[in-house]
Amino acid sequence: MVGTVLADMWGEHMETKYRKAAASSPRGLRPLLRAAPFGSGNDKGMTQILTEKQQAELASIATEVHLRPRATVYTADSSAHSAFIVKDGMVKAFLDLSRGSQRVLAFLFPGDVFGLAENGRYVNSVQTVTPTTCFKIPVSALTEMFVRDGELELQFLFKMTHELREAQRQQIILTHRDARIRVAMFLRMLQRRNDGSSHIELAMSRLDIARYLGLSSEAVSRATARLSREGIVAFPSLRVAQVINRSEFDRLTRAA
Amino acid sequence: MVGTVLADMWGEHMETKYRKAAASSPRGLRPLLRAAPFGSGNDKGMTQILTEKQQAELASIATEVHLRPRATVYTADSSAHSAFIVKDGMVKAFLDLSRGSQRVLAFLFPGDVFGLAENGRYVNSVQTVTPTTCFKIPVSALTEMFVRDGELELQFLFKMTHELREAQRQQIILTHRDARIRVAMFLRMLQRRNDGSSHIELAMSRLDIARYLGLSSEAVSRATARLSREGIVAFPSLRVAQVINRSEFDRLTRAA
DNA sequence: CGCTAGATTGATAAAGGTCAATCATTGTGG
DNA sequence: CCACAATGATTGACCTTTATCAATCTAGCG
């Protein structure tokens, strides 16, 4: 039954490749989680929070899934059997609203978790944006492991708390009327995701950015054009942003 | 040290009353959590998810805190030592932005958790709206308990996942341009919180609603006036809403 | 090298923000 | 108990900004 459902979603045209995660080389292919703990650790900000042992534990019940761009991982309301951790690439969580419009709720990067359902149903849909590798973990095995290993479970609690913060930051962005500010804050979010460099890779389309920021794609275009014209952010190509005027950029995005 | 910080926030003018939760009568005074589990339970939707034993465990490390309206529970960026569960009443989580404006991120009702920090700092501020009783739980004791009792921890994982969904629903609301729809969706959210009755109690001010919906208070006024004029929702008093035209109300709020 | 989906730019109209004034409600003090 | 003060809510006028529609341009990709 599970196989049937998965076959529907990851049909033959997807060219997905499965592999036991545990069978991989011990280091690079294990699940990682990016989040911040409750208490005050030595280092501030997000870091990898799993121990080697926890990674190995997870790997023992995880499967690696390789997906090409724009592949559907799952759709909202479908029966939920697995959770996922992004290993490499980028996916978007979204909902299709009534009249064909789409709202992007989150972009998920390596170390992010998605697919933790409610009442056995996924609450939103997830599609890949770039070529993506995910760890796929049966929810039943995961919850069993949680009960046995409270430390591992705690890492997931940190992670979900962290994702809640991200969603709340997104709320802040969405309440700003000015499209220029929304786009700038969005770029700052991507910047934080990476190393904080002024060079920002935009893996998603302008339309997906618009869907994420609650704007029309035209408004996003005009906002980027204006940021460029004002010498705050340069866009050397469609998929690259470069912060030019750091202080002005900070001023724009320092609304919170 | 903890006492010092708390004294700053809950000073003598607050008239707060402390009481060991465990010393209370066994039933009604224990912490409850409202959320949905990952898997498919028998009943859909939110329910109380803690067992009697788990409630007792929590109660053993919790303190009851009574707060009057508009009392500050904690402020953003302050040192975080305790998490909270709303027992009775209602609080708001918010952030004060640069030029005096305020964004309300969430309203928290009985069974909701707040105060799970990141890196030892609260990420937003929390104030009571109505007279409120909270269970106050030291984070250190809570995390220790988590490691011992994976089942209890799992309930908190459910809860935080559920709060993430709430935040994402809020994102959907915020992306709608029409103020009337935002207000209607907000009312529907409150409706779901309670028993789903067409009679909706509004504990918060219009201004707080505006801050939550990313609107001006004028826009909220106009939206409620229009809903009333159109015979969709009646407002018999400032703090009560009554859904009149159910089908039209559903149509407006059935954007997702 | 042309094709197609995505991105940009322009013009128009609708909707909410803002400023200002009035009304209502709550809480206080006489 | 009432009057008044103060805060919150509502309404109106005007203005800014974005959604929308439409046309053009660009970048990948076969």
Side-chain angles (χ1 to χ4, degrees), chain A residues 2 34 91 119 135 185 210 231-232:
Chain A
V2 173
R34 278 167 63 84
V91 305
N119 290 312
F135 295 101
M185 289 179 117
I232 301 173

Side-chain angles (χ1 to χ4, degrees), chain B residues 19-180:
Chain B
R19 178 168 51 173
K20 266 316 239 191
S24 312
S25 75
R27 189 69 56 130
L29 295 179
R30 288 181 174 177
L32 300 179
L33 281 189
R34 277 167 64 83
F38 294 157
S40 54
N42 295 335
D43 42 23
K44 289 199 58 120
M46 284 195 310
T47 49
Q48 155 57 23
I49 56 176
L50 295 181
T51 64
E52 286 278 331
K53 177 166 163 294
Q54 289 166 344
Q55 291 171 40
E57 269 189 297
L58 275 180
S60 73
I61 58 171
T63 309
E64 264 190 43
V65 185
H66 297 265
L67 297 160
R68 63 197 220 178
R70 294 161 188 261
T72 297
V73 182
Y74 56 74
T75 53
D77 295 323
S78 66
S79 185
H81 300 99
S82 298
F84 300 83
I85 299 174
V86 180
K87 179 194 170 194
D88 201 62
M90 197 261 282
V91 305
K92 64 169 178 176
F94 65 95
L95 275 176
D96 288 309
L97 305 189
S98 33
R99 69 288 192 200
S101 72
Q102 183 179 109
R103 299 272 79 120
V104 173
L105 298 170
F107 293 110
L108 299 161
F109 297 88
D112 286 340
V113 176
F114 64 96
L116 289 179
E118 287 199 359
N119 289 312
R121 302 262 158 200
Y122 292 119
V123 291
N124 47 42
S125 303
V126 173
Q127 275 184 13
T128 59
V129 175
T130 65
T132 302
T133 307
C134 291
F135 295 100
K136 176 171 170 252
I137 307 174
V139 173
S140 55
L142 188 62
T143 50
E144 281 166 25
M145 182 171 284
F146 282 164
V147 174
R148 285 200 311 277
D149 185 346
E151 287 280 3
L152 174 66
E153 187 177 15
L154 192 58
Q155 307 311 313
F156 275 78
L157 186 53
F158 290 159
K159 184 59 190 177
M160 295 315 285
T161 303
H162 188 266
E163 287 204 9
L164 173 61
R165 305 308 171 209
E166 288 289 322
Q168 290 180 337
R169 286 198 195 93
Q170 177 60 5
Q171 287 181 25
I172 301 274
I173 293 180
L174 290 175
T175 55
H176 278 86
R177 185 139 303 268
D178 193 332
R180 186 162 113 271

Side-chain angles (χ1 to χ4, degrees), chain A residues 73 86 89-93 106-108 114 126-129 132 134:
Chain A
V73 182
V86 180
M90 200 262 281
V91 305
K92 64 170 178 177
F107 294 110
L108 299 161
F114 64 96
V126 172
Q127 275 184 14
T128 59
V129 175
T132 302
C134 291

Side-chain angles (χ1 to χ4, degrees), chain A:
Chain A
M1 189 53 191
V2 173
T4 307
V5 171
L6 295 179
D8 289 345
M9 293 193 289
W10 293 323
E12 63 290 347
H13 63 292
M14 288 300 184
E15 300 176 8
T16 59
K17 294 182 290 184
Y18 290 81
R19 176 167 52 169
K20 267 316 238 192
S24 311
S25 74
R27 187 69 56 131
L29 296 179
R30 290 181 172 177
L32 300 179
L33 280 189
R34 278 167 63 84
F38 293 156
S40 53
N42 294 334
D43 42 22
K44 290 202 60 126
M46 284 196 309
T47 49
Q48 154 59 21
I49 56 176
L50 294 182
T51 64
E52 287 279 332
K53 178 165 163 294
Q54 289 167 344
Q55 292 171 39
E57 271 191 295
L58 275 180
S60 72
I61 58 171
T63 309
E64 263 190 46
V65 185
H66 296 263
L67 297 160
R68 63 194 215 180
R70 294 162 189 264
T72 296
V73 182
Y74 57 73
T75 54
D77 295 323
S78 66
S79 186
H81 299 99
S82 298
F84 299 84
I85 299 174
V86 180
K87 180 194 169 195
D88 201 62
M90 200 262 281
V91 305
K92 64 170 178 177
F94 64 97
L95 275 175
D96 288 308
L97 305 189
S98 33
R99 41 102 170 85
S101 71
Q102 182 178 110
R103 299 271 81 121
V104 173
L105 299 170
F107 294 110
L108 299 161
F109 297 87
D112 285 340
V113 177
F114 64 96
L116 288 179
E118 287 201 358
N119 290 312
R121 304 261 157 201
Y122 292 120
V123 292
N124 46 43
S125 303
V126 172
Q127 275 184 14
T128 59
V129 175
T130 66
T132 302
T133 307
C134 291
F135 295 101
K136 176 171 170 250
I137 307 174
V139 173
S140 56
L142 188 62
T143 50
E144 282 167 26
M145 182 169 285
F146 281 162
V147 174
R148 284 199 311 277
D149 184 347
E151 287 280 3
L152 174 66
E153 187 176 16
L154 192 57
Q155 307 312 313
F156 274 78
L157 186 54
F158 291 158
K159 184 61 189 176
M160 295 316 284
T161 303
H162 189 265
E163 286 204 8
L164 173 62
R165 305 309 171 207
E166 289 289 322
Q168 290 180 337
R169 286 199 195 92
Q170 177 61 4
Q171 287 181 24
I172 301 274
I173 293 179
L174 290 175
T175 55
H176 279 87
R177 184 137 306 268
D178 193 332
R180 186 162 113 271
I181 291 181
R182 285 199 219 186
V183 170
M185 289 179 117
F186 171 72
L187 293 175
R188 202 166 86 90
M189 188 204 79
L190 290 183
Q191 201 179 27
R192 270 202 305 255
R193 274 284 170 182
N194 297 326
D195 49 4
S197 154
S198 65
H199 178 91
I200 303 168
E201 297 278 342
L202 305 173
M204 69 292 292
S205 69
R206 292 289 191 272
L207 186 55
D208 274 342
I209 295 175
R211 286 164 171 163
Y212 182 66
L213 295 179
L215 296 168
S216 64
S217 61
E218 293 93 329
V220 173
S221 270
R222 282 186 253 268
T224 55
R226 188 169 164 197
L227 286 171
S228 178
R229 195 182 329 124
E230 295 172 332
I232 301 173
V233 182
F235 295 87
S237 82
L238 258 183
R239 297 300 220 261
V240 176
Q242 175 94 30
V243 177
I244 302 296
N245 187 334
R246 175 68 185 270
S247 62
E248 192 62 14
F249 184 74
D250 285 347
R251 196 184 62 75
L252 276 185
T253 57
R254 188 180 53 229

